[in-house]
């Protein structure tokens, strides 16, 4: 997804399958460095040496890191060799573990990509949830509020989008709604069960730091109104009022990793 932000780091996730595993690991690692912006570029279904070489050259061009989940030994070897030749940092997520399992069990691996993504109902639910999160991100279409399993509300930079994607990988359909004093909240928020809605709040000073970093990444002065304490206090007060009207649970995301907040959200949402 193009955001217009200049990334702090670019990471290519190279896989001979869909690449879900690698992307989840990368996102979990990047969450530990919030609020840096990582541009995660997935390269799925890589099946030949020429594709591997192209990915390494692209990574070199963009000074990027490669994380790869290749189960075909020949492709792993080519990527490892080629990345060394071009001084590209490349991390093998599966290779050493597969080798250790072969030694421990005294059995060869099947070397078949995609075995952890058997095309069953469970897998398609996850794909559907990810597509849902993308479609109904940032109130692009308010009809998603009615259809969602979870609706996240909060001011800008409270991790609504990363949380939506993380929860989608847990098979929850998530819509998220930004709250701003200048925008009337959609009527749908007050028509659905409050148990489906989770409000996200954050410490004023912590959000001030995050927004200043965002402005710097955009090449804008960090003195812009968006990042001032007064503006943040106004937005948080407005959001708190909306959340109170809804009667939803509210979670403070300050200094919390996405995974931790997502765990709290899942505990709050009634089982369907």
């Amino acid at each position: 997804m193009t955001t217009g932000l200049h990334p702090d780091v670019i990471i290519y996730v190279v896989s001979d399958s869909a690449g879900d595993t690698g992307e989840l690991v990368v996102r979990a690692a990047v969450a530990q460095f919030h609020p840096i912006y990582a541009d995660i570029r997935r390269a799925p279904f890589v099946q030949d040496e020429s594709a591997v070489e192209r990915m390494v050259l692209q990574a070199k061009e963009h000074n990027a890191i490669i994380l790869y989940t290749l189960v075909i030994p020949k492709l792993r070897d080519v990527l490892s060799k080629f990345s060394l030749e071009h001084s590209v940092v490349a991390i093998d997520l599966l290779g050493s573990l597969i080798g250790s399992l072969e030694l421990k069990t005294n059995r060869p691996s099947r070397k078949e990509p995609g075995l952890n993504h058997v095309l069953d109902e469970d897998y398609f639910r996850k794909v559907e949830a990810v597509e849902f999160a993308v479609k109904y991100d940032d109130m692009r279409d308010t009809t998603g509020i009615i259809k969602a399993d979870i609706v996240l509300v909060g001011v800008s930079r409270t991790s609504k989008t990363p949380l939506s994607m993380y929860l989608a990988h847990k098979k929850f359909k998530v819509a998220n709604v930004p709250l701003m004093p200048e925008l009337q909240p959609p009527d749908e928020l007050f028509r659905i069960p409050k148990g489906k809605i989770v409000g996200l709040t954050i410490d004023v000073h912590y959000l001030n730091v995050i927004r200043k970093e965002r402005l710097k990444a955009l090449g804008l002065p960090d003195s812009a109104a968006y990042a001032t304490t007064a503006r943040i206090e106004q937005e948080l007060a407005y959001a708190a009022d909306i959340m109170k009207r809804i009667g939803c649970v509210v979670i403070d995301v300050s200094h919390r990793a996405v995974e931790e907040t997502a765990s709290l959200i899942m505990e709050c949402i009634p089982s369907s």
Side-chain angles (χ1 to χ4, degrees), residues 72-86:
I72 301 173
K74 187 175 182 180
L75 293 182
R76 287 206 308 268
D77 293 343
V78 168
L79 198 151
S80 177
K81 176 176 178 291
F82 211 61
S83 61
L84 281 172
E85 289 176 2
H86 289 274

Side-chain angles (χ1 to χ4, degrees), residues 195-213:
K196 290 174 55 174
I197 305 174
V198 176
L200 305 175
T201 190
I202 192 169
D203 176 74
V204 173
H205 301 294
Y206 186 54
L207 183 54
N208 176 254
V209 171
I210 292 173
R211 287 192 174 181
K212 283 184 175 181
E213 290 299 319

Side-chain angles (χ1 to χ4, degrees), residues 154-156 158 179-182 200-209 211 224-243:
V155 302
S156 172
T158 48
L179 298 178
M180 291 183 286
E182 294 80 12
L200 305 175
T201 190
I202 192 169
D203 176 74
V204 173
H205 301 294
Y206 186 54
L207 183 54
N208 176 254
V209 171
R211 287 192 174 181
Y226 173 74
T228 62
T229 300
R231 171 64 186 184
I232 290 170
E233 287 176 341
Q234 178 192 12
E235 288 187 32
L236 289 173
Y238 173 78
D241 181 62
I242 297 298
M243 294 171 197

Side-chain angles (χ1 to χ4, degrees), residues 54-66:
R54 283 198 303 274
M55 294 313 305
V56 172
L57 292 176
Q58 284 185 36
K60 181 179 181 179
E61 180 184 354
H62 295 100
N63 192 29
I65 295 171
I66 292 176

